């Protein structure tokens, strides 16, 4: 069966510090991968998605970036965090080319102070 | 651009009362999915509807896809405290992406 992992689960970082969040998927090949951000009590904002290794599409221009160094690994990064980067970061996957079910990871709760 | 709106944004019900959330898209959707997010948790897939006018049931939950495939509803009969959470609808868009609705937060008062 397929599983999706995210770490860390929680993170408190000072403004201006770097960020690296990791997401890995097991039990499937060539998944579409997604990064979402959710502000407290709000909906899901798509940040990045990827349909293959090294292929990244950005939805919202900001100080975040994403990379996909391996088929089932998706990384969200920032060189300098802003207060507005605080939120709940969710990684998700679907089957390659699929617009069916999205499977979400447990998320990383980021607080920037 | 396309939007997917949900109403209401918040709903408080007494335990045992029914609950309905509505999802409306500005364009036709090939399918619609519903997700539930418990407080502090991540969205979990509930169901997918594909056909025009389709109705599916999961125990006390009834899902409906509109005839024009632009709207959908989720109805919960006799809510329980375990139903607490935010319910999102979602539909596919071009480029393997998804439109997520704005969500309905359900509070069940025991």
């Amino acid at each position: 069966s397929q599983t999706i992992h995210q770490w860390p689960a929680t993170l408190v970082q000072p403004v201006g510090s770097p960020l690296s969040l990791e997401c890995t998927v097991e039990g499937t090949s060539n998944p579409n991968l997604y990064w979402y951000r959710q502000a407290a009590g709000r909906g899901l904002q798509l940040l990045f998605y990827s349909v293959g290794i090294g292929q990244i599409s950005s939805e919202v221009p900001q100080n975040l970036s994403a990379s996909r160094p391996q088929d089932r690994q998706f990384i969200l990064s920032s060189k300098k965090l802003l207060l507005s980067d605080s939120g709940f970061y969710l990684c998700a996957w679907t089957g390659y080319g699929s617009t069916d079910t999205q499977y979400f990871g447990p998320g990383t709760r980021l607080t920037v102070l | 651009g396309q939007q997917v709106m949900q109403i209401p944004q918040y709903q408080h019900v007494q335990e045992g009362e029914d609950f309905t959330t509505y999802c409306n898209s500005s364009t036709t959707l090939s399918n619609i999915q519903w997700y539930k997010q418990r407080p502090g948790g991540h969205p979990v897939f509930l169901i997918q509807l594909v056909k025009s006018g389709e109705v599916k049931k999961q125990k006390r939950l009834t899902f409906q896809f509109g005839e024009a495939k632009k709207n959908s509803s989720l109805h919960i009969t006799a809510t329980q405290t375990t139903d607490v959470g935010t319910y999102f609808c979602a539909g596919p868009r071009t480029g393997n992406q998804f439109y997520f609705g704005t969500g309905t937060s359900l509070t069940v008062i025991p």
Side-chain angles (χ1 to χ4, degrees):
Chain A
S1 63
Q2 302 91 354
T3 54
I4 178 169
H5 304 277
Q6 279 187 253
W7 62 90
T10 59
L11 193 58
V12 180
Q13 292 285 96
V15 169
S17 63
L19 173 74
S20 181
L21 304 180
E22 189 163 344
C23 169
T24 60
V25 181
E26 296 177 357
T28 188
S29 297
N30 300 320
N32 293 338
L33 295 172
Y34 305 81
W35 278 111
Y36 291 90
R37 178 170 61 199
Q38 187 176 37
R42 304 295 294 275
L44 299 168
Q45 178 188 30
L46 178 63
L47 302 175
F48 301 95
Y49 69 98
S50 172
V51 297
I53 296 173
Q55 190 282 330
I56 307 293
S57 296
S58 174
E59 277 294 289
V60 183
Q62 54 205 324
N63 68 319
L64 299 173
S65 62
S67 63
R68 185 170 176 174
Q70 300 180 45
D71 181 44
R72 288 168 289 180
Q73 183 185 31
F74 206 21
I75 298 172
L76 183 69
S77 304
S78 174
K79 293 181 178 178
K80 288 186 177 181
L81 284 169
L82 306 173
L83 286 174
S84 57
D85 291 324
S86 293
F88 191 37
Y89 287 82
L90 291 156
C91 181
W93 73 274
T94 65
Y96 178 74
S98 170
T99 55
D100 291 341
T101 307
Q102 284 211 303
Y103 299 95
F104 286 84
T108 295
R109 203 163 299 278
L110 172 66
T111 302
V112 182
L113 301 175
Chain B
Q2 179 171 354
Q3 291 186 342
V4 179
M5 303 298 294
Q6 277 183 257
I7 55 172
Q9 187 175 0
Y10 303 97
Q11 185 78 59
H12 294 233
V13 299
Q14 289 287 143
E15 189 173 16
E17 291 182 339
D18 292 357
F19 159 78
T20 304
T21 174
Y22 300 90
C23 177
N24 296 288
S25 169
S26 56
T27 60
T28 301
L29 299 170
S30 60
N31 70 70
I32 193 142
Q33 301 154 26
W34 285 91
Y35 296 79
K36 176 183 178 180
Q37 184 177 22
R38 294 181 184 273
H42 60 278
V44 174
F45 173 77
L46 294 176
I47 207 162
Q48 176 177 278
L49 305 170
V50 179
K51 299 176 183 177
S52 170
E54 187 171 14
V55 178
K56 287 189 176 180
K57 292 189 175 183
Q58 289 180 348
K59 297 182 180 179
R60 295 177 294 104
L61 278 61
T62 301
F63 304 83
Q64 187 166 9
F65 201 9
E67 293 291 341
K69 301 184 77 172
K70 295 176 68 173
N71 58 73
S72 181
S73 64
L74 158 58
H75 179 82
I76 302 178
T77 303
T79 54
Q80 300 175 0
T81 54
T82 53
D83 295 324
V84 166
T86 301
Y87 293 85
F88 292 98
C89 62
R93 54 181 281 197
T94 56
N96 300 290
Q97 301 170 65
F98 294 81
Y99 291 105
F100 273 85
T102 45
T104 296
S105 176
L106 173 63
T107 300
V108 179
I109 304 165

PDB file of all heavy atoms in Angstrom, chain A residues 61-77:
ATOM      1  N   PRO A  61       3.907  33.198  -6.692  1.00  0.00           N
ATOM      2  CA  PRO A  61       5.256  33.743  -6.532  1.00  0.00           C
ATOM      3  C   PRO A  61       5.505  34.142  -5.075  1.00  0.00           C
ATOM      4  O   PRO A  61       4.698  34.816  -4.475  1.00  0.00           O
ATOM      5  CB  PRO A  61       5.258  34.972  -7.428  1.00  0.00           C
ATOM      6  CG  PRO A  61       4.096  34.827  -8.327  1.00  0.00           C
ATOM      7  CD  PRO A  61       3.091  34.010  -7.594  1.00  0.00           C
ATOM      8  N   GLN A  62       6.595  33.699  -4.510  1.00  0.00           N
ATOM      9  CA  GLN A  62       6.885  34.026  -3.124  1.00  0.00           C
ATOM     10  C   GLN A  62       8.319  33.619  -2.842  1.00  0.00           C
ATOM     11  O   GLN A  62       9.029  33.211  -3.745  1.00  0.00           O
ATOM     12  CB  GLN A  62       5.928  33.283  -2.211  1.00  0.00           C
ATOM     13  CG  GLN A  62       5.911  31.783  -2.439  1.00  0.00           C
ATOM     14  CD  GLN A  62       4.593  31.184  -2.003  1.00  0.00           C
ATOM     15  OE1 GLN A  62       3.996  31.609  -1.033  1.00  0.00           O
ATOM     16  NE2 GLN A  62       4.116  30.208  -2.735  1.00  0.00           N
ATOM     17  N   ASN A  63       8.694  33.682  -1.599  1.00  0.00           N
ATOM     18  CA  ASN A  63      10.078  33.368  -1.262  1.00  0.00           C
ATOM     19  C   ASN A  63      10.285  31.889  -0.996  1.00  0.00           C
ATOM     20  O   ASN A  63      11.259  31.504  -0.369  1.00  0.00           O
ATOM     21  CB  ASN A  63      10.516  34.198  -0.056  1.00  0.00           C
ATOM     22  CG  ASN A  63       9.800  33.770   1.206  1.00  0.00           C
ATOM     23  OD1 ASN A  63       8.601  33.490   1.172  1.00  0.00           O
ATOM     24  ND2 ASN A  63      10.500  33.712   2.311  1.00  0.00           N
ATOM     25  N   LEU A  64       9.374  31.053  -1.447  1.00  0.00           N
ATOM     26  CA  LEU A  64       9.524  29.618  -1.300  1.00  0.00           C
ATOM     27  C   LEU A  64       9.927  29.003  -2.631  1.00  0.00           C
ATOM     28  O   LEU A  64       9.630  29.556  -3.692  1.00  0.00           O
ATOM     29  CB  LEU A  64       8.209  28.990  -0.833  1.00  0.00           C
ATOM     30  CG  LEU A  64       7.665  29.451   0.510  1.00  0.00           C
ATOM     31  CD1 LEU A  64       6.277  28.864   0.740  1.00  0.00           C
ATOM     32  CD2 LEU A  64       8.606  29.063   1.636  1.00  0.00           C
ATOM     33  N   SER A  65      10.564  27.866  -2.580  1.00  0.00           N
ATOM     34  CA  SER A  65      10.908  27.123  -3.780  1.00  0.00           C
ATOM     35  C   SER A  65      10.705  25.640  -3.498  1.00  0.00           C
ATOM     36  O   SER A  65      10.582  25.227  -2.348  1.00  0.00           O
ATOM     37  CB  SER A  65      12.355  27.387  -4.201  1.00  0.00           C
ATOM     38  OG  SER A  65      13.248  26.951  -3.187  1.00  0.00           O
ATOM     39  N   ALA A  66      10.628  24.847  -4.557  1.00  0.00           N
ATOM     40  CA  ALA A  66      10.448  23.418  -4.403  1.00  0.00           C
ATOM     41  C   ALA A  66      11.400  22.689  -5.329  1.00  0.00           C
ATOM     42  O   ALA A  66      11.818  23.224  -6.361  1.00  0.00           O
ATOM     43  CB  ALA A  66       9.004  23.015  -4.700  1.00  0.00           C
ATOM     44  N   SER A  67      11.732  21.482  -4.961  1.00  0.00           N
ATOM     45  CA  SER A  67      12.580  20.641  -5.802  1.00  0.00           C
ATOM     46  C   SER A  67      12.119  19.200  -5.693  1.00  0.00           C
ATOM     47  O   SER A  67      11.515  18.792  -4.697  1.00  0.00           O
ATOM     48  CB  SER A  67      14.054  20.753  -5.384  1.00  0.00           C
ATOM     49  OG  SER A  67      14.235  20.288  -4.061  1.00  0.00           O
ATOM     50  N   ARG A  68      12.401  18.464  -6.748  1.00  0.00           N
ATOM     51  CA  ARG A  68      12.058  17.041  -6.778  1.00  0.00           C
ATOM     52  C   ARG A  68      13.299  16.295  -7.266  1.00  0.00           C
ATOM     53  O   ARG A  68      13.435  15.996  -8.440  1.00  0.00           O
ATOM     54  CB  ARG A  68      10.867  16.783  -7.696  1.00  0.00           C
ATOM     55  CG  ARG A  68      10.390  15.343  -7.666  1.00  0.00           C
ATOM     56  CD  ARG A  68       9.080  15.198  -8.392  1.00  0.00           C
ATOM     57  NE  ARG A  68       8.644  13.808  -8.450  1.00  0.00           N
ATOM     58  CZ  ARG A  68       7.470  13.436  -8.941  1.00  0.00           C
ATOM     59  NH1 ARG A  68       6.615  14.338  -9.401  1.00  0.00           N
ATOM     60  NH2 ARG A  68       7.140  12.160  -8.963  1.00  0.00           N
ATOM     61  N   PRO A  69      14.192  15.992  -6.343  1.00  0.00           N
ATOM     62  CA  PRO A  69      15.453  15.345  -6.732  1.00  0.00           C
ATOM     63  C   PRO A  69      15.303  13.865  -7.078  1.00  0.00           C
ATOM     64  O   PRO A  69      16.132  13.323  -7.816  1.00  0.00           O
ATOM     65  CB  PRO A  69      16.329  15.533  -5.500  1.00  0.00           C
ATOM     66  CG  PRO A  69      15.355  15.677  -4.365  1.00  0.00           C
ATOM     67  CD  PRO A  69      14.157  16.351  -4.929  1.00  0.00           C
ATOM     68  N   GLN A  70      14.275  13.234  -6.547  1.00  0.00           N
ATOM     69  CA  GLN A  70      14.006  11.830  -6.846  1.00  0.00           C
ATOM     70  C   GLN A  70      12.518  11.663  -7.146  1.00  0.00           C
ATOM     71  O   GLN A  70      11.705  12.535  -6.799  1.00  0.00           O
ATOM     72  CB  GLN A  70      14.405  10.935  -5.662  1.00  0.00           C
ATOM     73  CG  GLN A  70      15.875  11.019  -5.300  1.00  0.00           C
ATOM     74  CD  GLN A  70      16.214  10.125  -4.117  1.00  0.00           C
ATOM     75  OE1 GLN A  70      15.784   8.965  -4.064  1.00  0.00           O
ATOM     76  NE2 GLN A  70      16.969  10.642  -3.174  1.00  0.00           N
ATOM     77  N   ASP A  71      12.181  10.546  -7.730  1.00  0.00           N
ATOM     78  CA  ASP A  71      10.802  10.325  -8.179  1.00  0.00           C
ATOM     79  C   ASP A  71       9.780  10.499  -7.068  1.00  0.00           C
ATOM     80  O   ASP A  71       8.690  11.036  -7.283  1.00  0.00           O
ATOM     81  CB  ASP A  71      10.697   8.916  -8.785  1.00  0.00           C
ATOM     82  CG  ASP A  71       9.306   8.612  -9.295  1.00  0.00           C
ATOM     83  OD1 ASP A  71       8.713   9.501  -9.967  1.00  0.00           O
ATOM     84  OD2 ASP A  71       8.785   7.517  -9.032  1.00  0.00           O
ATOM     85  N   ARG A  72      10.113  10.035  -5.871  1.00  0.00           N
ATOM     86  CA  ARG A  72       9.132  10.036  -4.795  1.00  0.00           C
ATOM     87  C   ARG A  72       9.530  10.959  -3.644  1.00  0.00           C
ATOM     88  O   ARG A  72       9.120  10.743  -2.505  1.00  0.00           O
ATOM     89  CB  ARG A  72       8.929   8.606  -4.300  1.00  0.00           C
ATOM     90  CG  ARG A  72       8.170   7.746  -5.297  1.00  0.00           C
ATOM     91  CD  ARG A  72       8.221   6.262  -4.937  1.00  0.00           C
ATOM     92  NE  ARG A  72       9.542   5.704  -5.158  1.00  0.00           N
ATOM     93  CZ  ARG A  72       9.849   4.437  -4.915  1.00  0.00           C
ATOM     94  NH1 ARG A  72       8.943   3.620  -4.423  1.00  0.00           N
ATOM     95  NH2 ARG A  72      11.056   3.991  -5.141  1.00  0.00           N
ATOM     96  N   GLN A  73      10.328  11.969  -3.956  1.00  0.00           N
ATOM     97  CA  GLN A  73      10.778  12.915  -2.948  1.00  0.00           C
ATOM     98  C   GLN A  73      10.495  14.334  -3.414  1.00  0.00           C
ATOM     99  O   GLN A  73      10.821  14.713  -4.548  1.00  0.00           O
ATOM    100  CB  GLN A  73      12.287  12.738  -2.698  1.00  0.00           C
ATOM    101  CG  GLN A  73      12.831  13.625  -1.603  1.00  0.00           C
ATOM    102  CD  GLN A  73      14.348  13.497  -1.482  1.00  0.00           C
ATOM    103  OE1 GLN A  73      15.055  13.241  -2.451  1.00  0.00           O
ATOM    104  NE2 GLN A  73      14.857  13.690  -0.265  1.00  0.00           N
ATOM    105  N   PHE A  74       9.887  15.112  -2.520  1.00  0.00           N
ATOM    106  CA  PHE A  74       9.500  16.475  -2.849  1.00  0.00           C
ATOM    107  C   PHE A  74       9.938  17.360  -1.690  1.00  0.00           C
ATOM    108  O   PHE A  74       9.628  17.060  -0.532  1.00  0.00           O
ATOM    109  CB  PHE A  74       7.988  16.545  -3.049  1.00  0.00           C
ATOM    110  CG  PHE A  74       7.508  17.646  -3.951  1.00  0.00           C
ATOM    111  CD1 PHE A  74       8.328  18.259  -4.882  1.00  0.00           C
ATOM    112  CD2 PHE A  74       6.186  18.065  -3.888  1.00  0.00           C
ATOM    113  CE1 PHE A  74       7.870  19.253  -5.723  1.00  0.00           C
ATOM    114  CE2 PHE A  74       5.698  19.063  -4.727  1.00  0.00           C
ATOM    115  CZ  PHE A  74       6.542  19.644  -5.643  1.00  0.00           C
ATOM    116  N   ILE A  75      10.671  18.420  -1.986  1.00  0.00           N
ATOM    117  CA  ILE A  75      11.249  19.262  -0.942  1.00  0.00           C
ATOM    118  C   ILE A  75      10.773  20.697  -1.117  1.00  0.00           C
ATOM    119  O   ILE A  75      10.763  21.229  -2.226  1.00  0.00           O
ATOM    120  CB  ILE A  75      12.788  19.200  -0.977  1.00  0.00           C
ATOM    121  CG1 ILE A  75      13.257  17.764  -0.700  1.00  0.00           C
ATOM    122  CG2 ILE A  75      13.389  20.163   0.027  1.00  0.00           C
ATOM    123  CD1 ILE A  75      14.731  17.552  -0.891  1.00  0.00           C
ATOM    124  N   LEU A  76      10.389  21.296  -0.024  1.00  0.00           N
ATOM    125  CA  LEU A  76       9.989  22.705   0.001  1.00  0.00           C
ATOM    126  C   LEU A  76      11.050  23.478   0.769  1.00  0.00           C
ATOM    127  O   LEU A  76      11.427  23.082   1.872  1.00  0.00           O
ATOM    128  CB  LEU A  76       8.637  22.865   0.680  1.00  0.00           C
ATOM    129  CG  LEU A  76       8.052  24.278   0.724  1.00  0.00           C
ATOM    130  CD1 LEU A  76       7.653  24.740  -0.669  1.00  0.00           C
ATOM    131  CD2 LEU A  76       6.851  24.336   1.658  1.00  0.00           C
ATOM    132  N   SER A  77      11.516  24.577   0.179  1.00  0.00           N
ATOM    133  CA  SER A  77      12.630  25.313   0.779  1.00  0.00           C
ATOM    134  C   SER A  77      12.377  26.810   0.784  1.00  0.00           C
ATOM    135  O   SER A  77      11.556  27.332   0.025  1.00  0.00           O
ATOM    136  CB  SER A  77      13.925  25.045   0.006  1.00  0.00           C
ATOM    137  OG  SER A  77      14.210  23.668  -0.066  1.00  0.00           O
TER     138      SER A  77
END
